[in-house]
Amino acid sequence: MLLIISLLLATVGYVLFNYNKRRQLLLNIRSHFDGPESNYFLGTTPVFFGKSIPDIFDIITGWHKVHGEDVAIIAAFNDLVLDLSSSKNVEKVLLAKSIKKSEPYDFLVPWLGTGLLISTGEKWFQRRKIITPTFHFKMLENFLETFNKEADILVAKLDAHAGKGEFDIYEHVTLYALDSICETSMGVQVNAQDDPNNEYAIAVKQMSTFILRRVFSVLRSFPALFFLYPFAREQKRVIRRLHNFTNSVIDSRRKMLEQEQANSKVSFEQQEEDVYTKRRITFLDLLLSVTVNGKPLSREDIREEVDTFMFEGHDTTTSGISFTIWHLAKYQDVQQRLYEEIHRILGKDKKTAELTNLKIQEFEYLDMVVKESLRMIPPVPIIGRCLLEDMEMRRRRRCSSP
């Protein structure tokens, strides 16, 4: 018994010794940056307890206002995070060859699999090569009719709120973006704008919350303990709903293509050759027809790419559009100048004009407005990378303004 106790104490002592040794190393790294104080074991995590997702982002942006562009954060159990926003250091990290995507990306795997967002190496290059042709500008021009149609529906939905006080535009834009990505990239219509309680849109919002909760959780470094999260079971149910939706989209498009092929006797190989012509070959069409090493992609392979682009295609678009409109509401002079440009280009038919690619090129001020909004509030505010070797970084002074 005494031997067991001795071994236990020795083990605990050894673990604490190494823990403290690593902590001193991290404190030395942090000494070159400014950052918030951290608890010995829990790091800065207690600051986030009981906070909403918007509150958490406010806390982090507040740290930048106090500590500068680059903030050193020691999370729970010696997890060092450098929250970089200075252009020089961000550039160094993104151009480094010895990096990988950070651990929180793994939280997306049960939902998105190892599609283009998560994958690395040969798989990433292979999938990127397959997907790139469907996003050629000539292909996108073929879908302007869809964009115009869905935009008209969105405007009609928003018009119903005119003069009736504040409302949340984000929900309307979400459904508009979902309809657009489904019809253009997947070749199916889901009519989400006529369904305010769209199950897929709600499930995406739930998953986004679950993932962000894990990122700022005390257990983030222990993925095996996921079952301890209060939303663990609910996440599985939500993922099942998301996969059911994307499976239905894939099956629906597959049946449509099989019917088209039977009627026109056009092979998938011939369809792929028409990628740069006027024929509408969607993102999903290409996934259904392509072969890798002589074999078609499996249903799981297709679904992980569809899940990735369904999520990224409508969620980031929604944020970009919503924040741009919010900025226009905030800066009335910019809104007026943009209105004048629209009136000048479209004239009296501005409410019913069919936008073409050439016509869109004329909106120079609109282009600047959108880009400035994306700069001020990016749809993807954080990306994560993990260094695999040491790197020198330039220390930044803290911001002078509060």
Side-chain angles (χ1 to χ4, degrees):
M1 184 65 178
L2 185 60
L3 179 61
I4 294 176
I5 295 174
S6 299
L7 288 173
L8 181 61
L9 290 174
T11 302
V12 171
Y14 177 77
V15 170
L16 288 176
F17 173 79
N18 282 282
Y19 182 90
N20 188 67
K21 184 179 179 180
R22 173 170 170 75
R23 182 170 179 80
Q24 295 307 312
L25 174 63
L26 298 185
L27 289 174
N28 181 54
I29 295 174
R30 200 189 71 171
S31 67
H32 298 283
F33 299 87
D34 287 325
E37 294 299 320
S38 62
N39 181 278
Y40 188 80
F41 286 111
L42 299 182
T44 56
T45 307
V47 176
F48 304 125
F49 289 167
K51 297 292 192 300
S52 66
I53 298 301
D55 288 339
I56 290 174
F57 276 96
D58 285 342
I59 290 170
I60 295 174
T61 54
W63 283 343
H64 280 284
K65 291 177 181 179
V66 173
H67 301 291
E69 292 179 299
D70 301 327
V71 180
I73 302 168
I74 300 180
F77 306 114
N78 280 341
D79 185 9
L80 176 66
V81 177
L82 293 180
D83 204 21
L84 307 176
S85 63
S86 64
S87 57
K88 293 293 183 182
N89 285 337
V90 169
E91 182 181 31
K92 278 191 171 185
V93 171
L94 294 181
L95 292 179
K97 294 182 179 179
S98 298
I99 61 172
K100 66 176 183 178
K101 292 174 181 176
S102 58
E103 286 77 5
Y105 281 77
D106 295 337
F107 302 159
L108 290 161
V109 172
W111 172 22
L112 303 182
T114 53
L116 198 63
L117 177 64
I118 311 296
S119 62
T120 57
E122 181 61 28
K123 182 174 182 177
W124 185 90
F125 283 105
Q126 184 187 79
R127 295 290 174 86
R128 180 65 183 264
K129 184 178 180 181
I130 292 171
I131 290 167
T132 297
T134 60
F135 293 94
H136 191 277
F137 283 113
K138 288 186 178 296
M139 285 298 301
L140 294 176
E141 288 177 17
N142 294 332
F143 296 111
L144 279 171
E145 180 183 346
T146 298
F147 295 140
N148 276 288
K149 180 190 70 174
E150 297 301 339
D152 287 341
I153 296 173
L154 174 62
V155 170
K157 299 289 185 182
L158 298 179
D159 191 51
H161 292 278
K164 298 180 181 179
E166 293 184 1
F167 68 99
D168 189 353
I169 195 173
Y170 189 89
E171 307 300 330
H172 290 284
V173 178
T174 295
L175 300 178
Y176 154 77
L178 182 58
D179 272 342
S180 297
I181 193 70
C182 283
E183 188 167 350
T184 58
S185 294
M186 308 303 162
V188 298
Q189 296 183 11
V190 297
N191 301 315
Q193 293 198 78
D194 293 326
D195 180 16
N197 298 314
N198 183 274
E199 189 177 67
Y200 179 82
I202 292 173
V204 168
K205 184 181 292 187
Q206 288 177 297
M207 274 302 299
S208 299
T209 300
F210 294 156
I211 292 164
L212 286 170
R213 286 290 181 197
R214 291 188 69 181
V215 170
F216 297 102
S217 167
V218 70
L219 296 177
R220 61 172 280 173
S221 299
F222 305 98
L225 299 180
F226 173 67
F227 68 93
L228 295 177
Y229 286 90
F231 53 79
R233 289 187 179 180
E234 180 61 21
Q235 176 173 305
K236 290 182 179 180
R237 289 191 288 267
V238 170
I239 290 175
R240 193 179 304 116
R241 289 200 295 271
L242 289 166
H243 285 172
N244 287 342
F245 181 85
T246 48
N247 282 336
S248 70
V249 168
I250 294 168
D251 292 343
S252 176
R253 188 58 182 169
R254 192 192 299 274
K255 289 178 182 178
M256 292 170 64
L257 291 177
E258 289 173 351
Q259 187 62 45
E260 288 177 11
Q261 188 180 23
N263 293 339
S264 62
K265 296 183 180 180
V266 176
S267 69
F268 279 140
E269 288 74 15
Q270 288 173 304
Q271 291 179 33
E272 191 173 348
E273 291 175 1
D274 287 337
V275 163
Y276 295 109
T277 69
K278 292 183 178 180
R279 193 179 189 281
R280 290 188 177 185
I281 305 298
T282 69
F283 163 78
L284 181 52
D285 292 349
L286 200 58
L287 292 177
L288 289 168
S289 63
V290 75
T291 58
V292 177
N293 298 324
K295 297 180 180 179
L297 296 177
S298 68
R299 192 187 194 194
E300 289 69 26
D301 289 333
I302 294 172
R303 191 185 68 200
E304 66 185 13
E305 298 300 347
V306 170
D307 277 326
T308 297
F309 276 83
M310 287 280 285
F311 166 53
E312 292 188 317
H314 96 277
D315 187 72
T316 55
T317 302
T318 298
S319 296
I321 293 174
S322 298
F323 282 125
T324 299
I325 294 174
W326 179 79
H327 279 126
L328 288 172
K330 184 177 181 181
Y331 300 102
Q332 296 286 310
D333 57 327
V334 176
Q335 181 185 145
Q336 180 60 32
R337 183 175 171 184
L338 180 56
Y339 175 81
E340 291 170 0
E341 180 181 74
I342 294 171
H343 184 74
R344 174 174 54 80
I345 295 173
L346 300 182
K348 296 179 180 180
D349 299 328
K350 55 182 174 292
K351 289 188 177 181
T352 57
E354 190 81 3
L355 290 174
T356 64
N357 189 52
L358 288 176
K359 187 67 70 175
I360 291 173
Q361 304 306 314
E362 298 181 40
F363 288 92
E364 295 180 0
Y365 190 65
L366 173 61
D367 184 61
M368 290 188 287
V369 167
V370 172
K371 288 179 178 177
E372 180 65 3
S373 180
L374 293 174
R375 184 191 70 82
M376 294 177 69
I377 308 182
V380 181
I382 300 173
I383 61 173
R385 295 294 183 266
C386 181
L387 296 179
L388 300 179
E389 63 183 20
D390 290 344
M391 172 186 294
E392 288 188 8
M393 290 188 180
R394 181 181 177 184
R395 181 180 178 181
R396 308 289 295 186
R397 294 181 181 275
R398 70 174 64 188
C399 295
S400 57
S401 58

